[in-house]
Amino acid sequence: MSPVNLSVRDEQLRELMDDPDCDPVRLEATLRRFHLVNRLISGWDQVYRRRLRPTLLRLDRPARVLDLGSGGGDVVTRLAQLAARDGLQVDWTGADPDPRAHEAAQHTQNQRLQRVQGVHGAPSVRFLCADADALLAAGERFDVVVSNHVLHHLDAPGLLDFTEASRRLSTGTVLHSDIARGRLAYSLYAVGITPLAPGTFLRTDGLRSIRRSYRPEELAAALGAAWTVSSPAAFRLIAEAPGRG
Ligand SMILES: C[S@@+](CC[C@H](N)C(=O)[O-])C[C@H]1O[C@@H](n2cnc3c(N)ncnc32)[C@H](O)[C@@H]1O
């Protein structure tokens, strides 16, 4: 078998979960297991400590934070747990235009949140089945907009629409986190995902995700001068821009 070519993004690959007719049982299992995968590889605890918490503390009032493309909802739930433990009051929203993801998030995450008691009681997250345009049309604005693993799903016009709309939704800052494409990331994921993959799309879609993902310099070129793209940890990239809301 010839080795996978990772020197260029493979935009033609489609992830199984992006098929509206994919197996719903496997999709739900995939969305539910994202919380383990994200805890292991996405580095949001570090992003929270280094970038989000200082921003929330500076506001000196309850903040509004949106996770755009929140999928199964585990990243925004984890952020809500971390902020509750720090005694921060935040209105959290997770929005995803895919009704299957929205349903999974609503079903799973509020149970998880009940297990955490912050100084202001259990945190909660509002989950909406909506894309950025619907949120803008509804007049929603946030202090911070984040996303995880959405950028690599999008084609070139979709990437610009998504990132521009995320800036319009934010009056403060925008942070989009994703995988950085690379041979080592691909090889380690192929081995490491094995125990978590049965009954899910995690193996096929994770490897396709890496092949669709950007290197930091590619993403910087695609997004343009308003955005700063950095690599906060191995195999990760983060794109940051000021909001325009
Ligand atoms: C790989 S999942 C990531 C889900 C979640 N953020 C996570 O990290 O587990 C990608 C998600 O992006 C959502 N998505 C795709 N295109 C989008 C768009 N234009 N606006 C908002 N969400 C989008 C999909 O519905 C899907 O739930």
Side-chain angles (χ1 to χ4, degrees):
M1 203 166 42
S2 57
V4 168
N5 178 10
L6 290 161
S7 62
V8 286
R9 291 190 65 219
D10 193 340
E11 276 191 272
Q12 303 312 315
L13 279 175
R14 190 173 190 213
E15 292 184 38
L16 301 175
M17 68 177 288
D18 287 338
D19 178 352
D21 297 321
C22 71
D23 178 346
V25 176
R26 277 181 176 253
L27 177 67
E28 200 194 335
T30 305
L31 291 164
R32 279 176 183 271
R33 227 163 280 173
F34 271 160
H35 84 102
L36 289 172
V37 179
N38 280 327
R39 284 295 289 278
L40 289 170
I41 68 169
S42 298
W44 274 95
D45 284 29
Q46 189 195 81
V47 174
Y48 170 77
R49 280 194 306 276
R50 295 200 179 156
R51 297 176 188 241
L52 198 50
R53 181 169 60 187
T55 305
L56 301 178
L57 284 168
R58 269 198 303 276
L59 279 175
D60 207 21
R61 61 168 168 78
R64 284 167 57 80
V65 180
L66 168 69
D67 178 4
L68 188 56
S70 52
D74 59 281
V75 169
V76 66
T77 296
R78 177 68 184 160
L79 295 174
Q81 290 173 336
L82 293 170
R85 283 180 195 152
D86 286 337
L88 296 174
Q89 266 190 294
V90 183
D91 289 336
W92 299 98
T93 301
D96 201 295
D98 184 333
R100 304 167 305 171
H102 171 65
E103 200 172 308
Q106 275 201 311
H107 194 242
T108 323
Q109 300 303 337
N110 280 318
Q111 288 167 4
R112 207 167 267 159
L113 284 162
Q114 291 307 315
R115 294 184 217 128
V116 180
Q117 282 299 318
V119 289
H120 304 290
S124 67
V125 177
R126 175 180 65 141
F127 286 105
L128 301 175
C129 191
D131 63 8
D133 288 342
L135 295 172
L136 284 165
E140 297 270 0
R141 294 297 180 274
F142 302 87
D143 298 298
V144 183
V145 175
V146 303
S147 80
N148 187 61
H149 295 169
V150 180
L151 301 187
H152 72 261
H153 278 263
L154 308 170
D155 60 15
L159 177 77
L160 294 181
D161 287 350
F162 178 83
T163 50
E164 178 54 26
S166 68
R167 291 187 68 198
R168 289 171 53 212
L169 281 165
S170 175
T171 55
T173 192
V174 182
L175 294 169
H176 295 303
S177 177
D178 210 339
I179 308 157
R181 192 178 77 253
R183 168 72 46 204
L184 188 56
Y186 191 89
S187 306
L188 290 175
Y189 185 85
V191 175
I193 199 61
T194 304
L196 295 177
T200 74
F201 299 138
L202 287 173
R203 184 181 172 81
T204 304
D205 277 2
L207 293 174
R208 289 185 183 182
S209 293
I210 296 170
R211 294 173 69 182
R212 285 191 61 102
S213 292
Y214 295 85
R215 295 197 162 132
E217 65 280 8
E218 293 168 348
L219 185 60
L223 291 180
W227 292 85
T228 304
V229 179
S230 57
S231 186
F235 320 130
R236 300 297 302 173
L237 50 76
I238 198 155
E240 183 165 8
R244 303 204 300 119

